[in-house]
Structures are given as C-alpha cells and as structure tokens.
Amino acid sequence: MKRRTTTRRSSLLVALVATGSLVLSACGGGGDGGSTDGEGGTAAAGGGDASEVQVMTWWAQGSEKAGLEALVEVFNEQHPDTEFVNAALAGGAGSQAKQKLQADLQAGNPPDSFQAHAGAELQDYIDAGQIEDVSALYDEFGLTDVFPDTLMERLTNDGKIYSIPSNIHRSNVVWVNPAVLEEVGIDPSTPPADLDAWMADMQKVADAGKTPVSLGMDWTQTQLLENVLLAELGAEGYNGLWNGDTDWAGGEVNSALTKFGKIVEWSNEDRDGLDWEPALQKVMAGDAAYNVMGDWAVAAYDAQEMTAPDDYAYWPVPGTDGVFNFLADSFTMPVGAAHPGGTKAWLDTISSAEGQLAFNKVKGSIPARTDIEASEFPAYQQSAMEDFSSDTIVSSLAHGAAAPVAVLTAVNQAVVKFSQGASDVDTLQSELVSATEPLAG
Amino acid sequence: MTSVTAEPRTEEVLAPRPASPRPRRAGWRTFRYAVLILSLLVVLIPVYVLFVTSFKGMGDATPARTWFFPRTWTLENWVEAWTALSPALLRTFAMVIPAAVISSLLGSMNGFVLSRWRFPHANLVFTLILFGMFIPYQAVMIPLVQLMIDLGVPNGIPSLILLHVVYGIPICTLIFRNYYETVPMELIESARVDGAGLLRTYFSVVLPISIPSFVVVLLWQFTSAWNDFLFAIFFSSASNGPVTMALNNLANGAMLSNYGVSMAGALIASLPTLLVYILLGRYFVGGLMAGSVKG
Amino acid sequence: MSTKLKSWGPGLLLISPSLVLMAVFVYGFIGISFQQSMTDSHTAGQATGRAPVSFVGLANYWALLQTPAFQHSLRNLLVFTVVFLLGTLVIGFCWAWVMDRPIRGEGIFRSVYLFPMAVSFVASGVVWKWLLNANQGESASGLNRLFQMLGLDFLQNSWWADATWGILAIALPAIWQLSGYVMALFLAGFRGIPEELREAARVDGATEMQLYRHVIFPQLSPVALSALVIIGHMSLKSFDLIMSIANQSSYSTKVPAIDMYNYATVYDYANSAAVGIILLVLVALAVVPYLWYDARTRKEGR
C-alpha cells in the first residue's frame, strides 16, 4: 500500500487549502494562546474588513427568527459601521444550512460566521482546517470568567477554542399535555420519580387508547434514546459513554435499550416523516401525552399562545432530575472569511451580556454567561437557569455536543433501523457499539 | 422499433386507427370503458388531494376531514407558498432556459454530423455518447463536487446550468440524430454539390428544417432540468437553488405540519411543466417517445 | 486520405466540444470516481486534502458488500425494481391494449394517464407523503383513512415505514408516474403494426386470441424491451422520490443512491464513490447489452 494523493484535482485542492492553513499556523504558531498581538493580528484577533458580516444560521422562522432579529438590533447599536447580512436557511434542524455550508466552506467561500453546536460537532470543521482558533477573543472580550467552567471545558479542544456560544439549550425535558393525563387519572403536576414510574404512566395512557409519546424523525428518536440512557446510567455512566469508561456493550445499556424500545412501540407510527414541530404538535393538540424535546419547544408553545401550567406542563425526563443535558449554539470564525473585522464584531455582540439577554429572552434558551440576572427572563428560562447553575451538566449526543457528526449519523441510522422494526435490542446494541467505536480511537 | 434508435413520428403513430370493419361485442366495449374510467379515477386521486388540501385552512386539516372539501375555501396556503417559492421559481427559469438552449444547439450539431456528415467510427462514437444518458450521476458526483470547487463555479444556478448542458448532450444528440436520419440525403447532397461547406450546409439547409425537433428537445430539456433534484441537492441549497430544492425545504422543513402550504407549493412548482404538457403536449410526448429518461 | 479527411474533418471539428465534454464528464469522471473509491478517504480532513490518503484497492467494496445495511439497500433496490417494472409494464400494456381500437374520449384518457410524467418526483412526493401516512385507527389520514371510510380497514398498513416491505410503498407513486409513459410506448407499438397483417391473420381464420399471440405480441417485444431498459435504469437511480416521501435517514426505504448521498454528507468520499460505481455497474449490466444490440441493428439497417 503506497501513499498517494487521490487525484490531480485534489492536489489542486491541497494547494488551495494549504494557503488557508498558513494563516492558521501563523495564529497558532504565536505560542499556545499567548499570542495577543503581532501575528495574532491576522484573522483571529480580528483585524481586517469590518464593513459587513454575513452570518449563516438556521434561525429562519418562528421564535428563532425573532431571536435573531433581536440580536441584530443589539448588533446594529454596538457596531453601527458593520452591516449585518442575514444568510439564514430553514429546514430539517439545520440540515439544509449545513449542506450549503459544507459546499461553501469547501469552495473556499465561507460566510463570515456560521452557527454550529458547540462541542464535538465542530471536529469536522477543525480537521478540515475550516475554522479559526478564537481563544484570543475570549481573553479580549473577557469571556473566560463569565462562562461557567463546565461550559469552557466542553468548548476546549486540545487547548484551543473554536467557537463562541450565544445560548444554551437543555435536551432532557418532557412536554406534557395535562388534559390527556387527567383523562386517564394521572396527576400532571408531579413528575414520575423515575423512568419505570413514567413508563407505568405511559402504559395507562396506552390502555386508554391514546398515544403516550409522540416522536419524530431520526434525531428526535436519538434524543429520546440519549435521555433514556441518561436516566438509566446516571450522569457519570452517561458521560462514560463518550470517553470509554462506560461499556456500550454492557448490561445496563442493554436494559436502557429495552426500555427505549418499549417507549418507541408506544409512539405514533408516522414518526419518521415528522420533524420535531409536527411531532410536538401532537402533544399540543391532545393526540399524545408526552414529547421529549429540547427546550426550544417552549417557543412553539409561545407561538400558539399556550401557557403553563394550564395548557402544558414540563419536567426533566424522569430519572434525570438534577442533570442538565446540554447543548449550545455557538458562532465561529471561518478560515478565509471575507470580512474578518465584521466577524469579530459579530462575535463580540453575541457574547456580550446585552446581546445574550436580548436574544435568549425571545428564543426561549438561556444565556451562556452567568452574569445576567435571571429575573429578566420568563418563567421557563428562570427555572432552566437555576438548574444550569446547580445541576450536573452532560453533553447531548443528538445535537453534536457529545460526539462528532459521523458518529451521530451512524447512531441515527441504527436507531431508525430499530424503530422501524428491522433490528432487535441486541442488534441495536451491537450497532451502537460499532457506531461509537471512533470515540475510543 | 427500439425507442433509442427510432423516434416514432408520434403524432401519426398515436393517431387512432380507422375503425375496424369488424364490429366488436358490446360487452367488450363496456369492459374497456370500465377499465379506462376506473384507472382515470385512481390516477386522479393525488390530484384531488393536492387541490382540495391546498385550499384548506389550518383547522380543516384534521385526519377525520382529510378526504372532504374544505369547510371554507381559503387562499392563505397559496399566498404563503407563493411567497416561499417565487424567488426559487425565478432562479429556475434562469437556470432552465440557458441550459435548454445551449444543450439543444450542441445536440443539433452533433446529430447532424453523426447522421449526415459521418466520419470513421461515427457509430461507435454515437453509442459512447448515448451511454452518457444512462449513467447514474452518482458515479460521477464526487469528482464533480471537487471540480466545481476547483474551478470556482459558484454553487447554485451557474453550476446547475453547466451540469444540465453537459449531461443533456446525449439525449439532445439522440433526438436530433434520429430526426436528421429522416431528412432526405438529396437535400444535403445538392448543397454539397453546390460547393457548400459543412457550416453552410448546416446553417442554410439543416437548421431551418430542424424547428420541430428543436421544439421537442427544448421542451424535453426544460422539463427535465426543471424537475431535477439530484444535481440540485448536491450543488445548491434552498436559498440559491431551483424550485425543487425550495419545495422540498417547504414540505419537509421544521414548520408545523401544514400540508396545505406544501400542497399549494407542489402545485405552484409543477405549473410550468404542466402548462408545457397541456399546451404543447404533442411535442412533449415526442420527447418522451425518443427514449428520453428522467432523473 | 487527405480528401477523405477534408470531407469529414470539419464535422469532427464541429462536434469536438461535445466529445471532449463527454470524454471528461462521463468517462473521465467515472475513472476518477473509481480511483477515489479505492482510497481510504473517509474523513473531512482527507476530503479537503489536509490529511493523507492511501490506496486500499477494492477494500471499500468488500466492506460495503459485507455490511448488512448495504445488503439491505441492494435488496430494497431489487424489490423496488421488480415491482416498479412489473407494475408499469402491466398497467401500461393494459391501457394501451384497451385503447388500441378506437374509443371515444381516447385523447382525454391518454392525456390524464400521461400527465404525472410531467410532474417532478419532488412535487408528487409531497402529496404521496401525505397519502402514505403510517398512522392507523383514530389518527389515520391519507390512504389509511380512505380505506376506513370505504370499510376496508384491513388494508391499513404502515406503508413506507414498514421495515420489510416499506420500499414497495415508494414503488406505488413511481408506478403512478410512469405507467402512462409505458402506455405511450406500447400504444405506438400497437399502432405501428400494419392493419394488413391483422387482416391477413383473420382471413387465415385466426381467432382474436391467436391473432394476439402470434401476430401482435411478437411485434411488440422490441417495445417491451425498450420500456424494460428505460424503466429499469430509472429505477436503479431512484433518489428523488425517496428523499421527498421518506427521507435520507429512513432505514426501510434505503437504496444505494441514498447511501451515496449519506456518505457524501459526512465526507466519506471513498465509500460514496464506491456506491456510485456499484450503481454504475448495475446500470451498465442492463444498458450495455441493449446499446450493443441497438448499435448492431443500426449497422445492419443501413
């Protein structure tokens, strides 16, 4: 087996990317985060064209769009000389946006900044040399002290940080239709003590001829799975899944998968054709009792002017009380961005107290900064902020915080295969073992 | 007749045969009508659903009412779908028209040379070109993606025009070649005897009589480029791609499951090709019959 | 020689741009794809040329063919193709057959049967996704609801979400879209048979059955072959319909074209190219003999 470059065109590509990586190594070469000026004065420290900033997000509709608009308002105040260009793309939990982004990044035509989930999801971009190390900006903006340590840990990759978070979401939340539960004699205000108690309630709902749980397409199923795993293994055991301390082939995982299978059986049959909102809609409309969804669901309730506790109830997934299953939206500085000055201005705004307050109030998420008064926020966010500061934090798999995209894709495929009835629990488990193999290496 | 070699003269071929002198049994006739009408109804089911759902308001879309007329007919879905799709519709026209024109010009030249101005191994060359019509584009996709990046062809419409032109060459060549095969050799020979060169023969003799084939080819290219999704998904996104991308985004995006909007969108996105079919159906069928392939 | 060259040289020159494009975009790229499929380029770093890539021969092919998931894709493709072919051929033939003799309203029937062909798979997918909704019982919609209303509850099923036969639910809209096309081919075939031939058979005392068996069907076999090849190769490439009715993550409706896309989205270019080449081989198996036969008849014809 001899080594060779793939093709003529790839070598062209190599040359192209090499010029890009020169910039990177110039920044990195300044000495382990100590580069404050000098060579750092290139992209990473944010010199350069600040006339505009083109930002790609998947916040194109509903509360997400409104949140972005609120953020842009702050941006225009803070950086009046930089024009904000909205490159938002709707669809499929960001899958459309990610496709377009992949193409643009490869073509060496990146936006000035793009939205990405903080954590392992960034690995591909880092490997491909497509995003800059922005550690220097953390010092410049004074972010190191205002972001909680648990968050900083998850942002850091080999001593470098490649994105700046704008907000934090929680994935282990159950959204409940109180009317459906009352109909079958379950008290919606007190959450079941653990997963088994919750499943007993589901059984009751099922016996009454209603759908206990609504589910949607692949990633929503993976999100349910990760929370079942979290409930069964506990925070420590769950974290071990990502660093090799917990055996994916073990008995505990097996029993969690069995329970997951039972819950899937109870769910709506048209799940694979539904994105998260139509799935949640089933709970809103009273066709199903529960839906496990990240806390962006609160915005969907707001949009329909439904309020807790009359129209809906929410609690942490039973068995995961005291744990905050975390994901964060964050922004990057792509290598070769046309307006690095604009990028810097944008990153400044999204990380500022003012920007995070304006944005998260509307979007339904909580700020990444710890120095913002909780009282400024609506009820749900207040409770989430409290939990975030006191709970154990774990990383969500379904949203790219826990594992790289390739692992997540393989897990999604195994989960859908299982939920469509093409594999049993043991097969699912063995497929998850091989899907997560890259994590060990 | 194989459809690859022979372009049937569709209009004649599909024209009903004169009534047979032999009268048929009435039972047979009833049976034929029963089959045809039943099939008609089945084929139209999706059309009914599209149409009815596109006029339904949100509250009307409950499972129990799925097969009924709307309680109140509303245009809301159409307005929303139009707002979402109209920029993509414009882009699709900007993509499809140049793609169809360029590829049919190339196809016409190829077809002429391969049928009437042959060179050694012209037959083999023709077969090699034809193979390009059948290949699964998946087999060239990865190098294509990299080529577009290296050439710096912008993602979106420019890339797609290039691709539709290139991969449209085989079918265009085929249709024109088959057409020119039917042109009497004497026409061309007499031009040659007059001393006309290739280009003059092509422009003064061949091109003017090619109009019917151009209509067929243009319509065919228009329709297949309009309906393409595979190239679109690799080389564009909902914000800079053709209407199939925008529609897919509208229908499968993270919006509340409002089927009404998706259905109105599907109708809007299909309108141009449907109009082509209804108004110029004869030529459209001609394209189909030429062994044309979609997707 | 030079006069010969003078006579055909300009022609060759005129079509050389097309020939070069075909050589590069069809044959050149197939070559490059094949080469990439024999590397270990499975990651983002390698796809963008930042990490080294090595030659691994046919290893990706062996690995793919041994994974149950890819075997499932191939099996789906086979099932889909068989049903799609049978469906369109049988329906298309029957329509053409009953329409062969003059019948009032033929134009209307023909136009309606053909029109789905003018619509994109993406657009028809929108309505079929709705029709093929998997819910049953109270929350049923689409066809399942229609079955309930007609008292045919036992026909309700989970359509494309069914792990074993879900792919057949995708064949349904595919048949809906292309039966009309096959009908047009057959109709042209029927009408290409000279009336004298039929009359001659009748004069010889052939019954209608015999007429069809010995005169008409044999004349139609080239049409059937064309339809087989055209529908068959479309079926092997099926992608749009599955993407818009199910989506790329659905296991039940997975086919190689979907796998190819999925690999490409996670930068696994080697496997992506390998799946593309496998598809090409499958299509070539059907198409090359056909083109060969076609080229030979063309030669004999002149």
Side-chain angles (χ1 to χ4, degrees):
Chain A
M1 281 199 291
K2 58 182 180 184
R3 254 186 56 189
R4 50 199 273 186
T5 48
T6 11
T7 59
R8 182 175 41 81
R9 286 157 351 294
S10 295
S11 40
L12 232 178
L13 241 173
V14 173
L16 259 177
V17 177
T19 44
S21 50
L22 276 182
V23 180
L24 237 196
S25 51
C27 306
D32 307 303
S35 71
T36 39
D37 50 9
E39 60 267 79
T42 56
D49 191 348
S51 61
E52 64 169 64
V53 59
Q54 194 196 45
V55 180
M56 173 180 280
T57 64
W58 55 87
W59 296 332
Q61 49 207 12
S63 59
E64 303 187 322
K65 185 176 174 211
L68 181 60
E69 279 161 4
L71 189 54
V72 170
E73 216 167 277
V74 177
F75 179 74
N76 288 338
E77 270 167 36
Q78 291 182 344
H79 301 278
D81 298 333
T82 306
E83 190 199 348
F84 176 84
V85 182
N86 190 353
L89 259 185
S95 65
Q96 283 268 357
K98 282 174 195 163
Q99 260 170 44
K100 163 100 168 82
L101 182 65
Q102 188 183 342
D104 284 350
L105 288 175
Q106 284 200 42
N109 176 31
D112 295 316
S113 185
F114 63 85
Q115 174 193 6
H117 290 129
E121 185 178 297
L122 293 174
Q123 195 60 49
D124 277 354
Y125 303 122
I126 298 170
D127 288 346
Q130 290 164 334
I131 50 177
E132 304 269 9
D133 173 12
V134 291
S135 326
L137 292 182
Y138 275 73
D139 295 334
E140 194 179 333
F141 299 153
L143 300 176
T144 322
D145 299 327
V146 294
F147 288 155
D149 292 341
T150 44
L151 177 57
M152 291 299 287
E153 250 168 57
R154 285 176 165 75
L155 289 169
T156 311
N157 181 307
D158 284 340
K160 293 176 186 159
I161 307 181
Y162 290 90
S163 71
I164 300 185
S166 55
N167 60 304
I168 285 167
H169 275 300
R170 181 178 198 176
S171 96
N172 58 327
V173 187
V174 182
W175 306 91
V176 184
N177 187 313
V180 174
L181 290 193
E182 275 157 13
E183 221 175 282
V184 296
I186 302 170
D187 174 15
S189 61
T190 37
D194 56 19
L195 191 62
D196 293 327
W198 188 33
M199 288 174 69
D201 284 353
M202 289 185 193
Q203 182 71 61
K204 279 188 207 162
V205 180
D207 290 344
K210 289 262 181 188
T211 308
V213 178
S214 71
L215 262 182
M217 60 200 289
D218 56 346
W219 65 266
T220 69
Q221 298 170 21
T222 300
Q223 187 176 279
L224 173 65
L225 172 67
E226 73 181 21
N227 286 313
V228 170
L229 284 167
L230 183 58
E232 283 292 284
L233 305 175
E236 206 176 313
Y238 175 83
N239 281 334
L241 291 171
W242 316 120
N243 60 23
D245 290 347
T246 305
D247 185 7
W248 272 97
E252 270 185 307
V253 171
N254 193 285
S255 101
L257 295 180
T258 308
K259 289 177 184 175
F260 170 69
K262 189 71 201 155
I263 299 175
V264 169
E265 244 172 70
W266 276 322
S267 70
N268 50 302
E269 297 189 63
D270 63 347
R271 57 187 99 84
D272 296 301
L274 302 179
D275 210 324
W276 70 271
E277 252 188 297
L280 178 69
Q281 176 68 32
K282 288 179 186 287
V283 172
M284 293 172 146
D287 296 331
Y290 308 107
N291 180 255
V292 173
M293 187 42 58
D295 55 10
W296 45 93
V298 81
Y301 281 106
D302 287 349
Q304 299 203 11
E305 291 171 0
M306 295 172 77
T307 51
D310 295 340
D311 303 323
Y312 67 97
Y314 56 85
W315 7 273
V317 171
T320 70
D321 204 9
V323 184
F324 192 103
N325 196 348
F326 142 99
L327 62 130
D329 289 311
S330 69
F331 283 89
T332 59
M333 175 175 279
V335 170
H339 310 94
T343 312
K344 190 183 164 189
W346 175 251
L347 293 177
D348 177 37
T349 295
I350 62 120
S351 61
S352 69
E354 215 184 344
Q356 297 216 335
L357 175 64
F359 176 66
N360 289 298
K361 242 161 103 172
V362 183
K363 201 199 171 215
S365 44
I366 63 172
R369 296 175 72 111
T370 48
D371 58 350
I372 299 175
E373 269 306 312
S375 57
E376 302 263 8
F377 287 92
Y380 171 77
Q381 278 118 306
Q382 287 192 20
S383 77
M385 286 172 82
E386 199 187 311
D387 290 347
F388 186 66
S389 62
S390 59
D391 283 1
T392 313
I393 312 292
V394 299
S395 298
S396 163
L397 166 67
H399 301 283
V405 181
V407 172
L408 172 58
T409 307
V411 170
N412 281 343
Q413 284 170 356
V415 167
V416 172
K417 181 177 173 186
F418 174 73
S419 69
Q420 290 186 334
S423 58
D424 57 14
V425 169
D426 293 338
T427 315
L428 170 63
Q429 186 169 19
S430 70
E431 285 177 355
L432 290 178
V433 168
S434 51
T436 51
E437 245 160 32
L439 294 174
Chain B
M1 183 211 83
T2 70
S3 65
V4 169
T5 41
E7 182 200 2
R9 321 260 16 95
T10 345
E11 303 92 78
E12 300 150 31
V13 162
L14 287 184
R17 218 202 320 278
S20 152
R22 184 178 282 215
R24 304 293 303 249
R25 289 176 309 251
W28 169 240
R29 230 185 60 150
T30 319
F31 170 76
R32 289 166 71 203
Y33 269 116
V35 169
L36 289 175
I37 290 170
L38 195 72
S39 308
L40 193 80
L41 293 179
V42 171
V43 171
L44 288 177
I45 286 177
V47 184
Y48 169 79
V49 168
L50 268 173
F51 194 73
V52 169
T53 318
S54 75
F55 289 105
K56 278 185 184 172
M58 268 304 247
D60 240 1
T62 59
R65 290 197 48 80
T66 47
W67 288 93
F68 299 107
F69 279 138
R71 281 210 184 84
T72 44
W73 297 71
T74 162
L75 279 176
E76 272 169 47
N77 299 328
W78 285 80
V79 172
E80 196 176 321
W82 174 254
T83 322
L85 295 184
S86 51
L89 278 173
L90 280 180
R91 286 196 296 270
T92 318
F93 277 111
M95 166 186 92
V96 161
I97 293 170
V101 170
I102 299 171
S103 58
S104 47
L105 277 174
L106 287 174
S108 157
M109 293 194 284
N110 299 343
F112 169 58
V113 171
L114 287 169
S115 65
R116 287 289 176 259
W117 206 284
R118 300 168 138 266
F119 49 87
H121 303 297
N123 234 330
L124 175 68
V125 169
F126 178 58
T127 304
L128 286 174
I129 292 180
L130 270 193
F131 184 62
M133 186 170 116
F134 291 98
I135 60 160
Y137 300 128
Q138 281 86 358
V140 292
M141 202 57 88
I142 296 293
L144 266 182
V145 169
Q146 291 171 331
L147 178 83
M148 292 298 181
I149 290 166
D150 288 351
L151 290 182
V153 182
N155 220 253
I157 302 307
S159 295
L160 292 173
I161 293 179
L162 176 65
L163 292 169
H164 287 305
V165 166
V166 170
Y167 292 104
I169 288 176
I171 178 77
C172 296
T173 303
L174 167 72
I175 299 178
F176 277 110
R177 179 190 172 280
N178 288 344
Y179 177 71
Y180 294 139
E181 291 267 297
T182 66
V183 172
M185 207 60 185
E186 301 82 60
L187 258 180
I188 289 154
E189 285 306 322
S190 63
R192 269 191 164 183
V193 169
D194 289 347
L198 169 85
L199 283 179
R200 248 191 67 200
T201 314
Y202 175 70
F203 283 110
S204 62
V205 179
V206 177
L207 209 52
I209 57 165
S210 309
I211 305 299
S213 272
F214 264 105
V215 178
V216 170
V217 172
L218 282 172
L219 289 185
W220 177 257
Q221 281 299 92
F222 178 89
T223 318
S224 53
W226 188 279
N227 289 342
D228 163 73
F229 185 62
L230 182 65
F231 282 138
I233 203 170
F234 274 93
F235 296 96
S236 70
S237 68
S239 69
N240 68 359
V243 72
T244 44
M245 282 301 280
L247 175 63
N248 188 51
N249 188 42
L250 183 72
N252 292 334
M255 292 211 304
L256 284 175
S257 56
N258 188 349
Y259 279 110
V261 177
S262 318
M263 302 271 181
L267 283 168
I268 291 174
S270 311
L271 223 52
T273 48
L274 277 180
L275 278 180
V276 162
Y277 173 71
I278 292 166
L279 299 178
L280 299 159
R282 234 162 40 117
Y283 298 101
F284 180 75
V285 173
L288 290 186
M289 304 297 289
S292 316
V293 180
K294 167 167 155 170
Chain C
M1 182 67 201
S2 70
T3 49
K4 254 192 177 169
L5 186 71
K6 216 176 155 193
S7 81
W8 53 256
L12 198 57
L13 208 62
L14 188 66
I15 68 168
S16 53
S18 298
L19 293 185
V20 170
L21 284 175
M22 287 292 104
V24 173
F25 279 78
V26 175
Y27 297 97
F29 282 7
I30 288 175
I32 294 170
S33 255
F34 186 51
Q35 194 205 4
Q36 292 214 318
S37 72
M38 295 190 293
T39 66
D40 66 348
S41 178
H42 300 301
T43 63
Q46 289 168 311
T48 46
R50 288 169 53 88
V53 168
S54 353
F55 179 78
V56 296
L58 296 175
N60 293 324
Y61 290 91
W62 300 138
L64 266 177
L65 292 172
Q66 276 165 17
T67 8
F70 190 67
Q71 288 167 0
H72 174 72
S73 299
L74 288 174
R75 175 259 180 202
N76 270 353
L77 186 64
L78 179 73
V79 172
F80 178 77
T81 302
V82 168
V83 173
F84 185 20
L85 273 175
L86 275 179
T88 46
L89 285 178
V90 169
I91 294 175
F93 176 80
C94 288
W95 284 347
W97 185 39
V98 294
M99 243 188 265
D100 174 29
R101 304 263 119 198
I103 192 162
R104 189 171 303 179
E106 183 197 315
I108 295 173
F109 291 121
R110 221 174 51 200
S111 309
V112 169
Y113 296 164
L114 250 177
F115 98 90
M117 176 92 193
V119 179
S120 67
F121 284 127
V122 176
S124 74
V126 170
V127 61
W128 281 99
K129 180 181 180 147
W130 182 92
L131 285 169
L132 301 175
N133 187 295
N135 284 341
Q136 300 175 25
E138 233 178 282
S139 50
S141 66
L143 288 178
N144 281 349
R145 171 67 64 170
L146 184 67
F147 289 153
Q148 284 179 15
M149 286 163 56
L150 299 175
L152 301 167
D153 294 51
F154 63 94
L155 281 177
Q156 293 188 82
N157 66 81
S158 50
W159 300 110
W160 59 266
D162 184 276
T164 317
W165 300 113
I167 192 70
L168 291 186
I170 307 288
L172 215 60
I175 293 170
W176 175 76
Q177 278 199 281
L178 284 149
S179 290
Y181 173 50
V182 176
M183 171 205 68
L185 287 177
F186 273 119
L187 206 52
F190 270 117
R191 305 219 162 134
I193 302 170
E195 189 62 24
E196 301 84 65
L197 220 58
R198 300 175 189 235
E199 279 312 310
R202 288 195 185 108
V203 168
D204 290 347
T207 64
E208 282 298 297
M209 270 316 241
Q210 286 169 327
L211 173 71
Y212 272 99
R213 241 189 96 192
H214 298 294
V215 179
I216 296 184
F217 288 165
Q219 295 271 333
L220 289 178
S221 56
V223 180
L225 182 68
S226 308
L228 209 66
V229 169
I230 290 161
I231 302 289
H233 103 279
M234 286 181 68
S235 162
L236 292 172
K237 300 196 281 194
S238 286
F239 175 75
D240 307 14
L241 254 188
I242 300 174
M243 286 292 281
S244 70
I245 293 179
N247 56 56
Q248 67 268 36
S249 66
S250 166
Y251 180 81
S252 57
T253 54
K254 213 162 70 82
V255 294
I258 300 282
D259 289 326
M260 188 268 156
Y261 175 72
N262 283 343
Y263 281 126
T265 55
V266 292
Y267 290 96
D268 189 343
Y269 282 6
N271 274 325
S272 192
V275 175
I277 295 295
I278 290 175
L279 269 181
L280 178 73
V281 170
L282 291 176
V283 169
L285 283 178
V287 166
V288 168
Y290 178 68
L291 287 178
W292 180 259
Y293 160 83
D294 180 63
R296 280 200 28 204
T297 42
R298 212 181 312 131
K299 223 174 215 166
E300 285 159 12
R302 38 188 49 246

